[in-house]
Amino acid sequence: MGAQQVAGRFAELYGAQPEGVWAAPGRVNLIGEHTDYNDGFVMPFALPHQALAAVSRRTDGLLRLTSADIDGGAARITELRLDALAPESDREWTAYPAGVVWALREAGHPVTGADIHLASTVPTGAGLSSSAALEVVVALALNDLYDLGLQRWKLARLCQRAENVYVGAPTGIMDQTASACCEPGHALFLDTRDLSQQQIPFDLAAEGLRLLVVDTQVKHAHSGGEYGKRRAGCEKGAALLGVDALRDIPYDGLDAALARLGDEEEVVRLVRHVVTEDERVERTVALLRAGDTRAIGPVLTEGHASLRDDFRISCPELDLVVDTALAHGALGARMTGGGFGGSAIVLAEATEVDTLTKAVEEAFAAAACKAPRVFEAVPAAGARRLS
């Protein structure tokens, strides 16, 4: 669905043309998983898949929301009063855009209402940040319409607050920053402590390479308990080691740090993953800068082993993708996203894409799993106004 279709549907629902249409993408995280809420490093890039929002202002304190993706496209209008918005009061999809409005108003920004129609091509529950795309597209639209003058990184922070506090999902800052700030043809090297950013060229096609996303169709929910347990365990590890965040444990001091944790076996695993994952991000950046893109394959695979064995957030379907891809010539593969389902990424020679795709599909069929969705990930543009 494009900008014209979204604007046209808005007009049908609300009786007037929108003031504008905005887009914000989903993302794939190349490397750096569960490091963002530990003040660490991440390296996402934006997908062509995006959330679209047609929006107009209101002055009566009402927020009206519709979605082309809910109720079979019937687009039932949900009407909320801004002064009644409260954290964790909404367990429906509307919590994401409503949470953004709540976060903006709580921060003192004069948002007086809006009519919003949303449509998205970002797969939900696939670890590709469909919720962040919804949040960022609404935030950018309101920032423009109300002339708030907020920088992209500040919008990302407000969207994270919306998801953490209003929705109740303890996610880090990566997803929203990627959606707001990524550039086409680049991966975003992000320091989540100070939000400093570097755009790293990532043109796989020019090197005869492809990055496949394999959506296992196993759904996950970040607001579920397991994600929160991992975050709490990381915070416990930082407290036991006397640091502000696990980011502060140097890679060459990891063994000594783990020894200090004694018999805290679960915390040891979590700390080991985060510290080694930060090092993998830095290694990936160095390899890409050196033009040695193929050499990042084994780093991706190392990351999957750490997520599977130390962080323990993989699942049989994700492991099946990785194992099958590697057995059929992939340069590297790993799960991506929050875990417990979702997607894996596969780095491969362009000439091997069809073979790998067929092998993964056949492996899923043999295991009696739901057929995966496989597509190529091409680094795309971040959030922007379309009309």
Side-chain angles (χ1 to χ4, degrees):
M1 182 174 287
Q4 287 187 333
Q5 293 98 318
V6 173
R9 185 63 174 135
F10 179 101
E12 293 174 8
L13 292 163
Y14 296 116
Q17 287 294 320
E19 292 184 76
V21 178
W22 288 259
R27 65 96 188 99
V28 161
N29 191 24
L30 182 64
I31 192 76
E33 220 64 78
H34 288 267
T35 50
D36 58 346
Y37 54 78
N38 289 290
D39 282 2
F41 305 119
V42 295
M43 201 174 186
F45 62 88
L47 288 168
H49 306 72
Q50 58 191 6
L52 299 178
V55 186
S56 288
R57 289 167 289 183
R58 298 182 65 90
T59 59
D60 58 359
L62 288 180
L63 173 64
R64 296 199 296 175
L65 300 166
T66 57
S67 171
D69 310 303
I70 305 298
D71 296 332
R76 172 176 51 88
I77 295 177
T78 297
E79 186 173 293
L80 304 169
R81 291 207 57 82
L82 300 190
D83 56 12
L85 298 179
E88 299 193 54
S89 60
D90 187 352
R91 293 300 180 186
E92 302 298 326
W93 68 271
T94 50
Y96 296 99
V100 170
V101 175
W102 170 85
L104 285 166
R105 285 168 54 84
E106 189 202 37
H109 300 294
V111 176
T112 57
D115 287 338
I116 301 174
H117 179 60
L118 294 158
S120 180
T121 59
V122 185
T124 59
L128 303 176
S129 297
S130 58
S131 60
L134 283 181
E135 292 158 359
V136 169
V137 75
V138 170
L140 182 61
L142 296 176
N143 185 56
D144 288 353
L145 289 176
Y146 282 96
D147 197 24
L148 303 179
L150 296 171
Q151 295 173 283
R152 295 299 183 94
W153 69 268
K154 288 185 178 179
L155 289 177
R157 277 289 193 207
L158 285 166
C159 289
Q160 181 199 15
R161 179 160 176 76
E163 188 148 355
N164 288 174
V165 180
Y166 194 91
V167 178
T171 56
I173 190 62
M174 174 182 65
D175 297 349
Q176 293 85 0
T177 305
S179 186
C181 300
C182 279
E183 295 181 3
H186 293 75
L188 180 68
F189 177 34
L190 174 66
D191 182 333
T192 65
R193 170 163 282 171
D194 61 13
L195 296 190
S196 59
Q197 304 174 17
Q198 298 176 47
Q199 300 286 346
I200 308 297
F202 193 54
D203 186 358
L204 294 173
E207 300 186 56
L209 297 172
R210 298 290 186 272
L211 190 75
L212 299 179
V213 175
V214 182
D215 177 4
T216 64
Q217 309 261 19
V218 177
K219 302 301 182 183
H220 70 87
H222 273 173
S223 54
E226 291 301 317
Y227 185 99
K229 287 179 183 177
R230 300 307 187 279
R231 182 164 185 164
C234 290
E235 292 169 353
K236 179 179 179 181
L240 290 172
L241 293 169
V243 295
D244 291 335
L246 294 183
R247 148 77 173 275
D248 297 313
I249 304 299
Y251 180 69
D252 59 8
L254 176 59
D255 289 343
L258 297 183
R260 289 169 55 197
L261 291 172
D263 60 357
E264 293 277 358
E265 180 182 348
E266 182 176 354
V267 176
V268 164
R269 291 197 310 268
L270 299 179
V271 171
R272 183 165 53 220
H273 166 72
V274 171
V275 176
T276 58
E277 186 79 345
D278 273 335
E279 188 274 338
R280 281 187 284 271
V281 176
E282 294 184 292
R283 205 180 341 151
T284 298
V285 171
L287 289 168
L288 291 176
R289 284 178 170 157
D292 197 1
T293 304
R294 284 172 173 79
I296 74 171
V299 186
L300 303 183
T301 305
E302 286 177 31
H304 183 76
S306 182
L307 290 161
R308 180 192 65 211
D309 301 335
D310 275 343
F311 229 67
R312 299 189 179 184
I313 58 170
S314 188
C315 67
E317 292 85 355
L318 288 168
D319 293 340
L320 182 60
V321 174
V322 172
D323 294 343
T324 302
L326 294 174
H328 287 81
L331 298 172
R334 74 171 190 92
M335 59 155 286
T336 187
F340 312 107
S343 299
I345 56 175
V346 178
L347 180 66
E349 302 287 350
T351 54
E352 299 299 319
V353 166
D354 291 344
T355 299
L356 285 167
T357 300
K358 182 180 179 182
V360 169
E361 290 172 344
E362 289 179 347
F364 268 58
C369 297
K370 185 176 181 179
R373 180 181 180 217
V374 184
F375 60 91
E376 182 182 346
V378 179
R384 61 211 182 278
R385 186 169 188 165
L386 299 180
S387 66

